[in-house]
Each structure stands twice: as structure tokens, then as C-alpha cells.
Amino acid sequence: MISHILSDECLGCLLIADTNIPFLQNVLSNNQFLNGTVDTQFIDENQDLFNLKPVQNRAQKLLHYLGHVMVNGPTTPIPVKAKPSPIAPVIPPVPLGEPPVGFRDVLLREGPDGFAKAVRAHQGLLLMDTTFRDAHQSLLATRVRTHDLKRIAPFVAHSFSNLFSVENWGGATFDVAMRFLCECPWKRLQELRALMPNVPFQMLLRGANAVGYTNYPDNAVFKFCEVAKENGMDIFRVFDSLNYLPNMLLGMEAAGAAGGVVEAAISYTGDVSDPTRQKYSLDYYLKLADELDMAGLLKPDSSRLLVGALRDRFPDVPIHVHTHDTAGAGVAAMLACAEAGADIVDVAVDSMAGMTSQPSMGAIVACAKGTKHNTGISLEKVFDYSEYWEVTRGLYAPFDCTATMKSGNADVYENEIPGGQYTNLHFQAHSMGLGNKFKEVKKAYTEANKLLGDLIKVTPSSKIVGDLAQFMVQNSLTRAEVEERADELSFPLSVVEFLQGHIGIPHGGFPEPFRSKVLKSLPRVEGRPGASLPPMDFQALEKQLRDAHGDEITPEDVMSAAMYPKVFQEFKEFTRTFGPVDCLDTRLFLDGPKIAEEFEVELERGKTLHIKALALGDLNKAGQREVFFELNGQLRSVLEMHFHPKALKDVRGQIGAPMPGKVVEVKVKQGQKVEKGQPLCVLSAMKMETVVNSPLSGIVAKIYVTADSTLEGDDLILEITE
């Protein structure tokens, strides 16, 4: 057909030109051509056919990525040496047609106020499913990919239309999506929204910190919420890690201005049923609620007391309760909350529940069945949903907390370590050879919390307490020694910045004289940290991004760069090099294919690659290995540089990374003399900072890393000669 449209001379040119494929793609997508209403003047009259888009070359980029993983291992840090399961999860049957009407229909029809009234008027207990966010953030280091969420999303839409919401965004997922999963967090939201149109989506917003770990100008928080709402977000759970009201109010105003449903979240610590715990008493929480639970510390009696008092004080306001099941009492606590007047409780599907995750969905559904708190959810559907996640969880074995942690622990009532952080601390302790000293780490956490004035502990305040605890364990310091030597010790940066006031003012103020001894003459932030920041210039930022990355920058990209400028830059560079790795199955993404393995990769609807991994060549003199593939029946190969040597454990002076992470700071220089126990560098991993100390005295012979280097466990950091 094309030969009838184009002259012989023009066609001949096309067949030898480098740009013929983009040109033909433009022809084949032209409406006039598709309608068959063309003549010999078609090309002359449609000069836009020559507006050629650069060839994406996605297939070759993906081969480059797969070859890179086969030669060098995963691009995301792996906490434990475990392989993804080879078993592919089976998606339960999904009915044809549109999913049933859900609570989102009420929200779209009646707005946030009408939605809140409908929730209060609802008969029975409503559930929020955390499986898409907090469950895997707590159990699997936030590593679950959009690929696996999309596969089960239609089943959830059809089977659980009566959920209050699905929590699928915010918290650590925004950062981790770009930093470790090499995918766009906004694309996740967009694709899930298309697959689940009937269930409200919920996100976790860190108040004035949005989805970051720092303060942003006020207009950045407002703009972020606006773009999130436009992309399908419905409910914004707004919290502050210190329950610092000015930070919370800023986030609430931003979410409300965007048209979202605002959930003001009070972070719970202590024990309101214990009369000896006075700092965070029942009166404190009621007063905070008047002016306007993260760790898993709620006991059944405390739940009844707290929720009952809030229900009496606020009879018309929906009450939504969140907890972690670290101690194992989560189901009992949530049922007690329901009995005391809570409208909604948080659950995770059974195979992703328990331990540091949320209480079991199946257990709550079964216990509430036949009572006034009946959830209306089918247990059979829960079982099918759980089976999918049980197999899918195996794909993330390298990140699964059960590699080092075999059960929850009721000592969380003593140390008050938040659910997700409990997992991270456990991983870190084992990575650093402190697995047998985890009890000491937990004790140090309790002491560090007291040093800092007994804080509400949620990200990022929990990280600050954890960093100080690790610092104390690594340096064998007691609480008394830290207090006595506070003016001479080199504290983690997060601790110093907290004491400066960078994340707000804790309830009861900063601990003195500890604060003054640590800060000495360092500046202090007065009031709400973000209030003094100048507005962000989004037009200038967009221009800067277009200059760097081309004209296909979206409003969502601008917000990603506003929240995490360096992470976004690295993400764009990664995708420019390796292409759309989010199309790969999770096992292939993490571990690469086996030799002789055949598989398919769907780039988009109607565009599928057929790939076979053929062979892996030997290391050449340039330090490269050639990887051979068959792509759609044609032989292809890529050369991959083998990089970052491992520390040899039988060579005394080779210092390896104790765990996967990113280098924050290198504290020594080549040729420098170091003493045993002297800090060599600082690693950051799983929201914590770890100092690598020298195991011997000697001279630094060679340094193999720089600030921002990403390391796997045992990667060589430096060599010391005695």
C-alpha cells in the first residue's frame, strides 16, 4: 500500500535512509492514511511526517541491562544473599466487565464531606488494605515493583469493592521507586488508577516534609498534593513524626486545597493505660485532636481507652486506626478499636500480614463475621488474594525480613521501635555481625530515645533515634557516657540536625543541657522549619529539566525533581542507559536470566520482545565480558564492564562494606595513617547511617569508593597496609 502512495524515487530514498523507520511510523499513525483518503500529494501536504522522533532503541537498552545484571549482579542493593523464587505467581480469576461500584463513587459524587458522612453512617467495620504500600515497606524493604501490583490490581477492584481504601503510595515508596526500582512513582499511581477505578486510593503524607526527609517550601507541598490528586490520589493521611502541629497543619491545608480527603493522623507512643507514663497521656492525645499510630504499641485496653475517648469527644468524625503487629496483638487491638467506636482499621492480606506489618485481613474478616462489625468481605476472596501474595513474596526473598527475623516480639512495648524500622535495625545488626547483640541494639534504642527527650517515633524521628542507638553500640557508649561527653563526641548528622530544629519542635521541647552541649555554637531553627524557605520556582525548574533531559518532561517529573533532585537525575540517567526496566518480570529485574532461558518482555500493548540468553563470555583484558542474546530471532551481544572488586576476607587489610548501601562520607585520604577503631567511612542504608571503623592500625594504601558510591555487601572500600 505504501508503494502506491510514494513515488519510486522517494521510496528508494526511504529504503536506504537511516530515518525510514520513524518516518514510516508517522505515516502509519496519520489519520488521513488510516482512513484511506490519500493521493500522490500526501507527503507534500503532510510535512509533519518528517518530524521524526528519535529511535528509542528500547530492546537494545534492555539487553544492556540484562547483560549488566548477569555480569555484575543486581543494580539495587541486596540485604541478604538469597535468590528470587523461580515460581511465578498465578493471578486468580477476574470477571469480565467493569468492577462493582465502590466507596470512590460516593467520594466522586458527594465530595470529601459527603464521603466522611457516608463512612460514619456505614454499618459494619471498614478496612483499609496496606498490602500495596506499608505491608511491603515493613516486610520487604519497600521493594515491591509496580509490575507485581498491576497484575493483582484488577482482582482487588472486582473482589474488594467495599474496602474503605487501598493504601498504595507515599511514605518511602516514592523515593524507593526511583532510587532502587528504577521506575516512576507517578506512573505507578496512574496505572493502578486505571486498573482500580472504584476503590479510593490512600497515601501517606509526611506533613510539611511531603514524601521526603527534609523541609520543602510551602508551595512545593501544595503543588505536590495538587499533582497527586490530579493523578488519582483520593485520601491523604497526614502526619508529623513529632506530632508537631504547625508541620501537620501545612500538610493538611495542602491536601485539602487539592480537593483530597484529609486524614489527620496522630502518632501514638507510650501507653495511655499506664498511669506512670505522663508525657504522652490520654489528655495529650485529646488536646492534640482538639487542635487539629505508627509503632504498633496499641494494646487492647489502651485501644478501648483512646478510641473510646476520641469517639466521645468527636461523635461525627470518622476514626481510622493504624498499627503494626510486631508484638502479635494487632488483631485483638483492632477489634477492641472497632468495639470502642472506630470506623476503619488497617489490615494487610494474610501472607503479607503479621510481624512488623499490619494485622491479618483474613483474621479480622473472620472475627467480625456475624457481628455488628461485619466487614462484608468474602473470606474466599481473601484466601485467593493471599495465595497470589504468598508466591509473589518469594520473588522478593533477598529483601524479606524473615531471612533474619523469625517472629514478632512483644519487647516493642518496651523499646517502642516502629514496625518498619524494627525490620531495618534487625537487617543492619546481622549485616554488621551484631546479630547476637540485637538485644543490645534494642536496649540502646531505648536509651537513645531517653537521651533525645522521649520522642514520638515515626520516620524521620525514628531514624534519628536509630542512628544514635547504632552510634552508641558501635562505640560501646552508655547513656551516661554520651551525656557526659556530648560536647566532644562526633554525633551522626541526623542527630545534630534534629537538635538544631530541622524537623520541628518535639513535645516538651528539646533535652537540655544535652542539646546545648552537642550544638555548641551551631545555628538553631526557630519555629516551623519550612516557613522561612523561599517559594520554589517551578518554571525555572522545568526549564532546567528540559535543558538536561529534553522536551518530554512532564509536570510529574518536575515534582519528582522538586522532592528528590539528585535521585531524579540518577533515575533519568539510568533509564537513558538501560531503558524501561519496569517491563521486566521481577526475577529478571533482580537476578537476570539463566543461560538458555527464553522469555518475553511486553514493552507496550502490541509490542513484545522474544529474548533468549545464549552465553556469557570470559573476562577480557579490558575487564569486560560479552553477553550473547537472541532477540526476536536475531543474534545480539553486549559488552559489560565487570566492576567493583570484593574485599578478600583472608587479606587482612582489605576493608569491605558490612552491608549494602550508599557511601555518605569518606573520612580518610590515601596515604593517611589510621588507628584501630578509627572511622573510615559512613554508609547509609534502609534509613540508617552506619560507620565503618578500621579493624587495624596502618596506612591507607588505596580507596575504592567516593561519596555517593552504591555498594553491595563485601564490596571493597579501601586497603590498609600495616
Side-chain angles (χ1 to χ4, degrees):
M1 186 175 182
I2 295 175
S3 62
H4 294 159
I5 300 167
L6 308 173
S7 67
D8 291 340
E9 294 83 4
C10 190
L11 184 59
C13 292
L14 275 171
L15 291 175
I16 61 172
D18 290 337
T19 55
N20 63 333
I21 292 176
F23 176 83
L24 289 173
Q25 287 176 329
N26 286 347
V27 170
L28 293 171
S29 61
N30 180 278
N31 286 329
Q32 187 180 344
F33 176 84
L34 292 172
N35 292 328
T37 57
V38 297
D39 54 28
T40 54
Q41 301 301 309
F42 172 64
I43 292 179
D44 293 334
E45 293 171 353
N46 290 272
Q47 290 298 303
D48 59 326
L49 296 174
F50 293 97
N51 295 332
L52 307 181
K53 294 181 180 179
V55 177
Q56 298 180 67
N57 207 8
R58 292 177 292 181
Q60 189 66 24
K61 289 179 179 179
L62 285 175
L63 292 185
H64 180 16
Y65 175 80
L66 292 168
H68 180 82
V69 173
M70 291 170 73
V71 171
N72 291 296
T75 57
T76 183
I78 301 293
V80 295
K81 291 179 181 177
K83 292 285 188 182
S85 168
I87 303 171
V90 176
I91 304 167
V94 179
L96 296 174
E98 293 296 314
V101 170
F103 256 94
R104 189 164 189 258
D105 181 67
V106 177
L107 176 58
L108 296 177
R109 188 176 64 247
E110 301 182 21
D113 286 343
F115 179 73
K117 289 176 182 174
V119 170
R120 274 303 286 133
H122 179 78
Q123 299 297 308
L125 180 63
L126 289 167
L127 304 181
M128 180 179 90
D129 179 18
T130 69
T131 307
F132 279 51
R133 189 199 73 84
D134 202 16
H136 73 84
Q137 182 168 319
S138 300
L139 298 176
L140 305 176
T142 327
R143 291 305 200 275
V144 171
R145 302 168 66 235
T146 302
H147 179 85
D148 296 310
L149 298 173
K150 283 165 54 181
R151 298 185 73 204
I152 194 63
F155 176 81
V156 174
H158 280 271
S159 303
F160 304 112
S161 60
N162 50 351
L163 284 171
F164 169 77
S165 64
V166 166
E167 188 199 34
N168 59 4
W169 216 60
T173 60
F174 192 92
D175 165 35
V176 169
M178 292 188 289
R179 190 190 300 267
F180 296 129
L181 304 182
C182 312
E183 60 182 46
C184 174
W186 299 98
K187 186 179 178 185
R188 173 181 296 190
L189 181 55
Q190 294 158 358
E191 292 183 330
L192 291 178
R193 181 77 285 167
L195 294 168
M196 304 168 70
N198 57 331
V199 180
F201 282 177
Q202 182 150 344
M203 73 164 290
L204 188 65
L205 188 78
R206 295 170 176 152
N209 303 131
V211 288
Y213 301 95
T214 186
N215 290 287
Y216 299 99
D218 292 356
N219 72 324
V221 181
F222 275 78
K223 186 68 174 177
F224 179 87
C225 291
E226 177 187 318
V227 178
K229 180 69 171 62
E230 289 170 354
N231 278 274
M233 186 48 58
D234 299 305
I235 305 168
F236 295 76
R237 174 178 284 171
V238 184
F239 80 100
D240 178 76
S241 68
L242 299 174
N243 281 344
Y244 181 53
L245 199 60
N247 278 353
M248 284 183 66
L249 291 175
L250 189 279
M252 291 163 64
E253 289 167 8
V261 176
V262 179
E263 267 197 12
I266 298 171
S267 299
Y268 176 82
T269 195
D271 183 356
V272 294
S273 65
D274 183 350
T276 67
R277 302 288 297 273
Q278 288 301 305
K279 182 169 184 178
Y280 300 108
S281 63
L282 180 61
D283 189 51
Y284 161 78
Y285 292 108
L286 291 175
K287 284 180 179 176
L288 185 60
D290 274 333
E291 294 181 75
L292 287 142
D293 172 51
M294 296 290 182
L297 303 180
L298 275 175
K299 301 172 184 173
D301 278 350
S302 301
S303 302
R304 291 188 191 92
L305 190 61
L306 180 58
V307 174
L310 288 170
R311 172 53 66 223
D312 290 343
R313 183 75 65 94
F314 305 101
D316 300 322
V317 177
I319 295 176
H320 186 165
V321 186
H322 170 92
T323 193
H324 290 256
D325 200 22
T326 312
V331 171
M334 293 304 94
L335 292 172
C337 287
E339 197 64 38
D343 302 282
I344 315 128
V345 299
D346 288 359
V347 296
V349 72
D350 302 15
S351 54
M352 291 287 287
M355 294 175 63
T356 56
S357 178
Q358 279 65 56
S360 156
M361 175 187 284
I364 296 281
V365 168
C367 290
K369 190 174 182 179
T371 74
K372 64 178 181 179
H373 305 301
N374 188 15
T375 63
I377 286 174
S378 162
L379 265 178
E380 289 298 322
K381 297 295 185 186
V382 174
F383 300 154
D384 291 342
Y385 187 29
S386 185
E387 186 176 1
Y388 170 83
W389 278 107
E390 185 168 6
V391 180
T392 299
R393 186 168 173 173
L395 298 173
Y396 297 93
F399 310 101
D400 200 314
C401 70
T402 56
T404 58
M405 195 169 105
K406 302 307 179 187
S407 70
N409 200 319
D411 67 3
V412 69
Y413 294 130
E414 296 296 323
N415 54 55
E416 299 180 354
I417 302 174
Q421 190 186 28
Y422 195 101
T423 307
N424 294 347
L425 274 172
H426 208 268
F427 265 137
Q428 285 205 331
H430 279 262
S431 299
M432 295 166 61
L434 298 174
N436 61 332
K437 293 186 176 181
F438 188 53
K439 186 176 180 181
E440 290 179 34
V441 174
K442 291 187 284 188
K443 183 179 179 182
Y445 191 96
T446 304
E447 295 300 299
N449 179 47
K450 291 174 182 175
L451 274 167
L452 295 172
D454 189 10
L455 302 180
I456 299 285
K457 290 166 288 297
V458 197
T459 304
S461 61
S462 56
K463 175 189 182 300
I464 294 160
V465 179
D467 286 347
L468 182 54
Q470 294 273 47
F471 174 79
M472 292 168 67
V473 172
Q474 285 189 310
N475 293 283
S476 302
L477 293 168
T478 65
R479 176 184 168 192
E481 288 170 333
V482 173
E483 287 179 316
E484 184 181 335
R485 300 173 54 195
D487 55 350
E488 63 182 68
L489 291 170
S490 180
F491 287 97
L493 180 62
S494 62
V495 174
V496 176
E497 290 185 341
F498 160 71
L499 293 171
Q500 285 180 284
H502 281 274
I503 68 167
I505 302 171
H507 175 59
F510 291 99
E512 290 290 2
F514 181 68
R515 183 195 195 197
S516 295
K517 290 175 74 173
V518 173
L519 295 184
K520 296 184 275 290
S521 61
L522 288 174
R524 306 176 187 206
V525 177
E526 302 298 334
R528 182 168 66 82
S532 57
L533 296 175
M536 189 172 287
D537 187 338
F538 292 111
Q539 286 188 331
L541 178 57
E542 183 175 351
K543 182 181 184 305
Q544 176 189 333
L545 294 174
R546 288 185 185 279
D547 290 344
H549 306 293
D551 288 336
E552 294 188 355
I553 289 294
T554 65
E556 291 77 19
D557 289 332
V558 174
M559 287 315 307
S560 292
M563 295 290 110
Y564 288 97
K566 194 169 187 304
V567 174
F568 178 75
Q569 172 71 21
E570 292 170 350
F571 165 63
K572 293 297 284 185
E573 290 171 357
F574 182 97
T575 52
R576 189 181 299 122
T577 302
F578 291 123
V581 298
D582 56 333
C583 298
L584 297 170
D585 283 351
T586 294
R587 183 180 60 79
L588 294 172
F589 171 76
L590 291 174
D591 207 34
K594 296 176 173 60
I595 298 301
E597 180 179 355
E598 296 183 55
F599 53 95
E600 293 184 346
V601 178
E602 186 178 44
L603 294 176
E604 57 188 79
R605 193 178 182 87
K607 289 188 179 180
T608 301
L609 305 177
H610 301 269
I611 302 174
K612 182 177 182 179
L614 297 176
L616 189 61
D618 294 329
L619 197 67
N620 64 23
K621 291 181 179 179
Q624 297 170 317
R625 299 183 74 176
E626 191 167 11
V627 189
F628 297 89
F629 295 96
E630 187 180 281
L631 174 66
N632 295 338
Q634 295 184 325
L635 180 66
R636 297 282 185 92
S637 71
V638 291
L639 274 173
E640 294 298 330
M641 181 66 72
H642 180 72
F643 60 88
H644 222 107
K646 296 290 184 183
L648 301 175
K649 294 185 178 179
D650 56 348
V651 178
R652 182 169 159 78
Q654 292 199 353
I655 313 302
M659 60 193 304
K662 181 165 280 193
V663 177
V664 176
E665 180 186 5
V666 179
K667 290 182 168 286
V668 294
K669 295 179 181 178
Q670 191 166 322
Q672 180 179 335
K673 185 178 180 181
V674 295
E675 300 297 328
K676 183 177 180 179
Q678 182 175 335
L680 300 174
C681 76
V682 181
L683 293 181
S684 175
M686 305 177 92
K687 302 184 187 177
M688 307 270 218
E689 289 183 3
T690 300
V691 179
V692 179
N693 296 320
S694 179
L696 72 166
S697 298
I699 305 294
V700 178
K702 188 174 181 180
I703 299 175
Y704 291 84
V705 300
T706 59
D708 292 328
S709 294
T710 299
L711 303 178
E712 294 294 326
D714 298 324
D715 276 358
L716 186 57
I717 296 174
L718 51 78
E719 288 182 295
I720 296 174
T721 56
E722 294 185 84

